[in-house]
């Protein structure tokens, strides 16, 4: 038998590396970085290699499961759908759409099959109760971007290859491989940047892997970012450093902003962030004085009470120093497909609206159609009209991923019906009545919808399935279309190809009007996601416009390119990118200014004696990769990092055990001493705690770790975005 080589884009993190997979006789022989991929240039991390283990994992579900008398039994697809129809439809019919919630998790962002077909399912449900991992993650950035530029995916990324100064706040791209910044091989790019004289400064309570490889590390008090950022903006005005340069004609609200930050001098802010006033001023001056520079912030800055204000002020600083939309600064990618900021009239738009409705119990405002995932448990538990009685969970593991996981687990148990679309029987799906599995990534095609909109360089890349899917197992988009039909009361047994045709026809009629028939005819040979990709590419900014620009892109051309098509370095995009009603960058949205009032109160609060932050590990991906042998080997990674000074005071020693506790609960964990921690701060990774009853993850259960989110309070949120507070939580630590 001879070996075959396949090109496959890795779906396991935002870096979207192109991989070369060699197979023989239906088995994976090797996985390497694809050297011919101009975007990722051969980079791969251990998770990419683990795609083989994922594909072969005996615990990965390949057949639907139905819970009968408390035990899961294998079922056919028809039996599973019949069970869903029998149990879910009456709830929907009798109690109304809000009684059925849906919750979609992180892997969906990496699967066009889920991402593109979920909105249809949500529309068919018509529920207000839509939750996702976004409110555990980047919702603050989406909201601030929406308010400032008019669309929530208009997010600027550092132009690393051309920058001379990069300041990183609350991100660890050397381990996470970048987030809201698709930058395969951050490490290599950062090294190259420093070798040509560039500098990197990392601001983080822990001296991270990224900080070790940087020029300077500044420890910050957890949750202190708002004070630092205000101190920096204040400095820019105070010292006359504001230089809008090319943006001068495109900003609105400069005077309002100046006034709003007047009270926040670095001297006053120092106590809040633990960074001396002079250092805050120096950071602002360095950004202002460096021709090509940018400030980049990520999840550490989002998962805080002031996540939205932080996200906003980062962009404010880039704007006031003339680095937004400038070469070598913070730039907006231009994706070949699916980017709303390339559609419609350039330079002006409807902007965004939020708070069109609120959650029933906490009255948390809706943001981009979603409610905070930290409201899920209370919406299930609290009786009354609109109470959630059923849940459709899609690639989502809130029992481990969301604050107060144990409460979520209890709430899920009290549901009348739960459906999970998941590839494992894990901490969340064990609560389901029916589990419908997805395909192995290697059995699926791949085109990234979101990440080209956040990429270090413009590109269009597609990869086909490496292996054919098992006979009889549907693709996930087919499962979603059938479920949508079921929810609409239609015949879910019907031909899925007709459902697909009808679905795209209605999309195209809405967007293309009189041209709809001609467009549908041109797309006709394709089906499913491929048809959506072709449509998006052809109508996109580089597209062939169905023949009007024959040299332009379509799916056939992208497929024909061995490892994708390079579309060049990032280019300035303002004002074309803007979709605000004013046609300007909104520097001072009222909603954000109003929240500044709460900053003063927060400044007056004493810092906790000990606070808990999270961390990520190269060989771990959120909550669901601990069952893969290549990642699970080596030392235990779910340990509590403690600074030696704290350890000495608390009587802790390396390899010993500690109890971490607060009002939410307590966890018993192994201690690792680390000089990298800021004294008074301990760190524990999230996504662990696999020892719950009913979990079928043989390897992960051998070293289950503990669930950090058991200590986090589901009521702690950024009120603007609904994002959970996941960092800087007060705890006590004692030796065991
Ligand atoms: N304390 C703390 N908590 C955090 C974070 C933190 O930093 N600290 N980070 C947060 C962040 S950024 C995120 S994104 C969330 C993630 O939160 P979630 O999205 O809830 O969690 P994941 O761990 O990604 O779990 C994904 C689920 O999808 C399943 N799955 C994997 N691949 C597929 C597939 O192809 N198809 C289907 N149908 N299912 C699949 C997995 O088995 C798993 O059940 O966690 C958040 N939680
Ligand atoms: N290997 C691996 N890669 C991943 C993931 C994974 O689980 N494992 N998850 C993926 C996902 S879903 C996401 S969203 C991305 C996230 O990507 P990143 O944002 O790069 O994620 P983290 O490594 O969690 O980095 C957050 C940093 O914030 C710091 N921090 C904590 N609290 C504060 C604070 O109050 N202020 C400041 N300034 N910093 C603080 C933490 O110490 C940490 O170093 O990573 C993705 N990539
Ligand atoms: S960095 Fe991310 S995309 Fe690249 S191989 Fe690793 S997990 Fe996959
Ligand atoms: Mo995330």
């Amino acid at each position: 038998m001879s070996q075959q080589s396949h090109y496959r884009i890795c779906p396991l993190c935002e870096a979207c590396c192109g991989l070369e997979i060699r197979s023989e006789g239906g088995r994976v022989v090797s996985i390497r970085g694809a050297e011919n991929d101009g975007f990722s240039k051969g980079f791969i991390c251990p998770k990419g290699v683990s795609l083989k283990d994922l594909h072969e994992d005996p615990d990965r579900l390949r057949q639907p499961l139905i819970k009968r008398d408390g035990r899961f039994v294998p079922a056919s697809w028809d039996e599973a759908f019949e069970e869903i129809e029998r149990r879910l439809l009456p709830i929907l019919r009798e109690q109304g759409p809000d009684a059925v919630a849906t919750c979609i998790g992180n892997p969906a962002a990496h699967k066009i099959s889920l991402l593109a077909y979920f909105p249809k399912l949500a529309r068919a449900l018509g529920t207000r109760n839509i939750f996702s991992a976004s409110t555990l993650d980047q919702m603050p950035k989406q909201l601030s971007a929406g308010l400032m530029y008019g669309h929530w995916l208009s997010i600027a990324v550092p132009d690393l290859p051309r920058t001379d100064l990069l300041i990183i706040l609350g991100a660890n791209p050397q381990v996470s491989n970048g987030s809201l910044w698709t930058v395969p091989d951050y490490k290599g790019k950062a090294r190259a940047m420093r070798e040509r004289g560039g500098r990197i400064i990392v601001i983080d309570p822990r001296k991270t892997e990224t900080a070790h490889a940087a020029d300077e590390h500044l420890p910050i008090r957890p949750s202190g970012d708002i004070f630092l950022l205000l101190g920096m903006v204040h400095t820019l005005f105070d010292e006359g450093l504001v230089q809008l340069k090319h943006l001068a004609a495109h900003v609105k609200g400069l005077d309002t902003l100046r006034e709003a930050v007047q009270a926040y001098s670095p001297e006053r802010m120092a106590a809040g962030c633990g960074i001396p006033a002079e250092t805050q001023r120096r950071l602002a001056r360095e950004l202002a004085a460096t021709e090509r520079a940018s400030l980049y912030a990520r999840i550490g800055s989002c998962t805080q009470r002031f996540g939205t204000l932080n996200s906003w002020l980062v962009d404010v600083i880039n704007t006031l120093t003339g680095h937004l939309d400038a070469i070598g600064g913070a730039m907006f990618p231009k994706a070949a497909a699916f980017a709303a900021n390339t559609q419609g009239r350039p330079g002006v738009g409807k902007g965004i609206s939020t708070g069109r409705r609120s959650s029933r119990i906490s009255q948390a405002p809706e943001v981009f159609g979603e409610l905070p995932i930290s409201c899920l448990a209370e919406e299930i538990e609290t009786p009354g009209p609109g109470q959630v009685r059923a849940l459709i969970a899609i690639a989502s593991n809130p029992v481990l991923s969301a604050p107060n996981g144990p409460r979520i687990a209890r709430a899920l148990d009290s549901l009348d019906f739960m459906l999970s679309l998941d590839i494992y029987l894990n901490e969340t799906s064990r609560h389901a009545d029916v589990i419908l599995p997805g395909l192995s990534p290697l059995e699926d095609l791949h085109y990234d919808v979101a990440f080209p909109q956040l990429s270090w360089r413009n590109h269009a890349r597609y990869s086909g399935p490496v292996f054919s899917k098992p006979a009889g197992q549907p693709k996930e988009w087919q499962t979603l279309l059938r479920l949508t039909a079921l929810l609409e009361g239609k015949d879910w047994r019907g031909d899925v190809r007709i459902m697909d045709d009808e679905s795209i026809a209605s999309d195209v009629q809405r967007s293309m009007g009189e041209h709809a028939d001609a467009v549908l005819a041109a797309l006709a040979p394709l089906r499913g996601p491929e048809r959506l990709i072709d449509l998006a590419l052809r109508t996109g900014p580089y597209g062939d416009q169905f023949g009007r620009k024959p040299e332009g892109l379509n799916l056939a051309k992208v497929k024909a390119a061995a490892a994708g098509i390079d579309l060049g370095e990032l280019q300035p995009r303002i004002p074309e990118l803007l979709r605000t009603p004013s046609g300007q960058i909104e520097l001072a949205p009222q909603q954000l200014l109003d929240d500044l009032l709460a900053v003063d109160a927060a400044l007056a609060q004493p810092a906790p004696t000990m606070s808990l932050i999270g961390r990520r590990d190269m060989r771990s991906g959120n909550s669901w990769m601990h069952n893969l042998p290549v990642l699970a080997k080596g030392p235990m990674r779910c340990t509590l990092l403690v600074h030696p000074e704290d350890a000495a005071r608390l009587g802790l020693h390396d390899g010993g055990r500690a109890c971490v506790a607060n009002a939410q609960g307590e966890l018993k964990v192994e201690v690792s001493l680390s000089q990298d921690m800021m004294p008074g701060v301990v760190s524990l990774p999230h996504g662990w705690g696999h020892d719950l009853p009913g979990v079928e993850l043989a390897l992960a259960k051998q070293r289950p770790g503990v669930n950090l989110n058991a200590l986090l309070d589901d009521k702690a949120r950024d009120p603007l975005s609904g994002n959970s507070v996941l960092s800087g939580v007060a705890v006590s630590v004692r030796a065991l």
Side-chain angles (χ1 to χ4, degrees):
M1 233 177 293
S2 66
Q3 286 194 5
Q4 282 179 296
S5 169
H6 316 259
Y7 172 70
R8 163 76 212 196
I9 300 165
C10 177
L12 299 180
C13 92
E14 296 177 45
C16 306
C17 302
L19 307 180
E20 189 203 343
I21 301 187
R22 298 194 73 85
S23 71
E24 189 173 326
R27 288 183 63 88
V28 177
V29 176
S30 67
I31 303 186
R32 295 195 190 88
E35 299 290 342
N36 60 342
D37 186 320
F39 181 74
S40 58
K41 301 201 166 104
F43 183 74
I44 186 170
C45 83
K47 284 196 292 175
V49 180
S50 80
L51 280 169
K52 174 178 163 68
D53 289 357
L54 177 59
H55 184 69
E56 294 170 1
D57 189 348
D59 287 331
R60 185 170 60 77
L61 302 178
R62 289 150 171 93
Q63 205 183 340
L65 298 178
I66 299 181
K67 199 183 269 163
R68 302 239 184 255
D69 303 322
R71 289 191 51 225
F72 280 107
V73 292
S76 72
W77 283 86
D78 275 356
E79 284 165 345
F81 269 83
E82 277 157 16
E83 182 77 0
I84 299 165
E85 180 175 48
R86 188 174 71 79
R87 307 225 4 225
L88 183 62
L89 281 192
I91 299 172
L92 199 58
R93 220 177 298 123
E94 286 155 28
Q95 301 179 52
D98 291 341
V100 184
T102 174
C103 174
I104 184 160
N106 173 279
H110 300 266
K111 274 206 151 178
I112 187 169
S113 255
L114 294 174
L115 196 62
Y117 291 80
F118 171 73
K120 298 175 199 295
L121 177 118
R123 226 176 296 134
L125 258 183
T127 178
R128 64 153 74 199
N129 289 309
I130 296 177
F131 305 92
S132 88
S134 291
T135 48
L136 300 170
D137 186 348
Q138 80 289 351
M139 199 56 121
K141 193 76 203 176
Q142 292 182 196
L143 179 55
S144 75
L147 292 169
M148 293 180 79
Y149 313 117
H151 193 268
W152 58 267
L153 252 179
S154 292
I155 291 174
V157 301
D159 184 19
L160 188 56
R162 295 181 287 186
T163 200
D164 295 323
L165 171 66
L166 174 62
I167 303 183
I168 297 180
L169 183 70
N172 188 11
Q174 194 142 318
V175 166
S176 70
N177 290 302
S179 183
L180 297 184
W181 183 20
T182 289
V183 58
D185 194 18
Y186 162 82
K187 187 179 176 180
K189 291 181 177 64
R191 195 192 309 119
M193 177 255 200
R194 293 180 65 219
E195 276 168 8
R196 60 174 171 73
R199 286 193 320 122
I200 298 178
I201 303 173
V202 175
I203 307 171
D204 196 300
R206 178 166 78 94
K207 186 165 183 183
T208 58
E209 296 77 355
T210 304
H212 275 287
D215 297 270
E216 189 179 350
H217 168 237
L218 296 170
I220 184 168
R221 198 186 111 185
S223 311
D225 304 60
I226 182 62
F227 308 113
L228 166 69
L229 292 164
L230 282 169
M232 288 172 69
V233 178
H234 181 280
T235 303
L236 294 174
F237 284 115
D238 186 45
E239 301 189 7
L241 300 173
V242 173
Q243 22 174 357
L244 293 170
K245 299 183 186 168
H246 57 290
L247 300 171
H250 305 297
V251 304
K252 198 178 141 205
L254 187 65
D255 293 334
T256 315
L257 178 69
R258 180 188 292 117
E259 217 165 288
V261 300
Q262 224 159 35
Y264 303 101
S265 69
E267 289 68 23
R268 212 180 132 229
M269 296 298 100
C273 59
I275 295 180
E278 196 44 42
T279 310
Q280 298 176 46
R281 288 187 182 272
R282 172 171 63 85
L283 291 169
R285 287 177 202 141
E286 285 192 37
L287 275 174
T290 309
E291 182 69 25
R292 297 178 168 206
S294 73
L295 172 61
Y296 163 74
R298 206 33 287 272
I299 194 165
S301 73
C302 283
T303 49
Q304 302 182 17
R305 160 61 184 82
F306 294 105
T308 305
L309 292 193
N310 290 340
S311 299
W312 163 57
L313 292 171
V314 166
D315 284 40
V316 162
I317 290 171
N318 282 327
T319 306
L320 297 185
T321 50
H323 297 315
L324 186 83
D325 201 42
I327 287 170
M331 302 192 74
F332 297 97
K334 189 185 222 174
F338 301 108
N341 67 28
T342 62
Q343 301 293 308
R345 192 172 144 206
V348 68
K350 285 206 302 280
I352 59 157
S353 52
T354 62
R356 289 161 291 191
R357 53 184 184 275
S358 301
S359 72
R360 186 174 62 105
I361 307 305
S362 284
Q363 299 296 311
E366 153 275 337
V367 179
F368 304 123
E370 293 185 27
L371 297 173
I373 196 167
S374 56
C375 293
L376 175 61
E378 65 184 22
E379 292 293 335
I380 296 173
E381 289 165 356
T382 318
Q387 182 184 8
V388 170
R389 297 310 309 145
L391 176 69
I392 302 178
I394 301 174
S396 163
N397 193 7
V399 170
L400 292 192
S401 303
N404 206 346
R407 178 181 178 187
I408 295 178
R410 284 192 302 274
L412 297 182
D413 264 342
S414 74
L415 287 169
D416 294 331
F417 182 73
M418 177 171 163
L419 166 65
S420 267
L421 270 65
D422 209 289
I423 57 170
Y424 285 113
L425 204 182
N426 67 9
E427 301 75 16
T428 294
S429 63
R430 73 193 167 119
H431 296 276
D433 298 288
V434 177
I435 309 178
L436 300 178
L439 298 174
S440 152
L442 301 187
E443 293 157 356
D444 209 354
L445 62 83
H446 190 90
Y447 188 98
D448 276 302
V449 172
F451 304 113
Q453 306 186 45
L454 300 160
S455 287
W456 74 280
R457 200 177 162 88
N458 293 317
H459 61 100
R461 298 177 306 149
Y462 167 96
S463 63
V466 173
F467 301 120
S468 49
K469 69 177 181 66
Q473 189 172 348
K475 300 169 182 169
E476 281 176 299
W477 61 271
Q478 296 174 327
T479 301
L480 287 178
L481 277 179
R482 268 198 210 290
L483 277 176
T484 303
L486 185 150
L487 293 168
E488 287 171 337
K490 295 184 185 156
D491 179 16
W492 54 264
R493 286 185 180 80
D495 186 342
V496 79
R497 283 172 307 181
I498 295 173
M499 296 177 196
D500 178 39
D501 285 344
E502 287 174 355
S503 158
I504 188 142
S506 78
D507 288 356
V508 171
Q509 268 141 18
R510 216 175 317 127
S511 60
M512 310 293 282
E514 51 174 326
H515 304 295
D517 287 346
V519 165
L520 285 168
L523 297 170
L526 298 168
R527 287 285 173 282
E530 290 204 333
R531 183 156 44 175
L532 301 180
I533 301 165
D534 197 35
L535 172 65
L537 280 168
R538 300 180 81 171
T539 54
Y542 313 88
D544 72 2
Q545 308 300 330
F546 292 100
R548 277 194 290 123
K549 291 190 179 162
E551 71 293 349
L553 290 186
N554 55 35
L555 180 58
K557 287 185 192 173
V558 176
K559 273 186 172 181
I565 294 178
D566 179 47
L567 297 167
E569 295 172 305
L570 304 186
Q571 303 293 332
R573 289 198 56 193
I574 285 179
E576 161 266 314
L577 157 125
L578 298 173
R579 293 293 185 276
T580 49
S582 62
Q584 307 242 285
I585 300 170
E586 294 287 350
L587 272 187
Q590 191 58 44
Q591 213 183 328
L592 304 184
L593 299 181
D594 291 346
D595 199 35
L596 279 173
L597 288 176
V599 173
D600 294 274
L603 187 61
Q605 274 167 20
T609 353
M610 186 61 89
S611 40
L612 176 62
I613 64 170
R615 73 173 183 275
R616 286 179 156 73
D617 186 278
M618 183 60 93
R619 289 180 178 269
S620 175
N622 292 335
S623 72
W624 66 277
M625 290 180 206
H626 302 138
N627 209 50
L628 307 178
V630 70
L631 301 181
K633 66 186 182 195
M636 180 55 175
R637 296 184 174 88
C638 184
T639 60
L640 187 76
L641 298 185
V642 185
H643 190 275
E645 275 172 27
D646 289 326
R649 183 169 46 84
L650 297 164
L652 301 171
H653 60 272
D654 200 51
R657 291 180 65 75
C659 176
V660 192
N662 63 11
Q664 294 286 127
E666 59 173 50
L667 298 174
K668 296 185 171 82
V669 285
E670 185 183 322
V671 172
S672 291
L673 298 194
S674 169
Q675 292 280 356
D676 295 332
M677 291 309 300
M678 187 177 182
V681 183
V682 290
S683 156
L684 196 62
H686 77 281
W688 294 82
H690 304 295
D691 49 355
L692 298 174
V695 169
E696 294 286 339
L697 299 167
L699 185 59
K701 276 165 85 166
Q702 289 174 21
R703 283 198 297 180
V706 294
N707 181 5
L708 161 64
N709 281 314
L711 292 184
L712 304 193
D713 179 0
D714 49 8
K715 287 183 235 24
R717 281 192 285 274
D718 166 19
L720 297 178
S721 64
N723 210 87
S724 289
V725 174
L726 302 176
S727 195
V729 172
V731 289
S732 66
V733 181
R734 65 181 166 82
L736 281 176

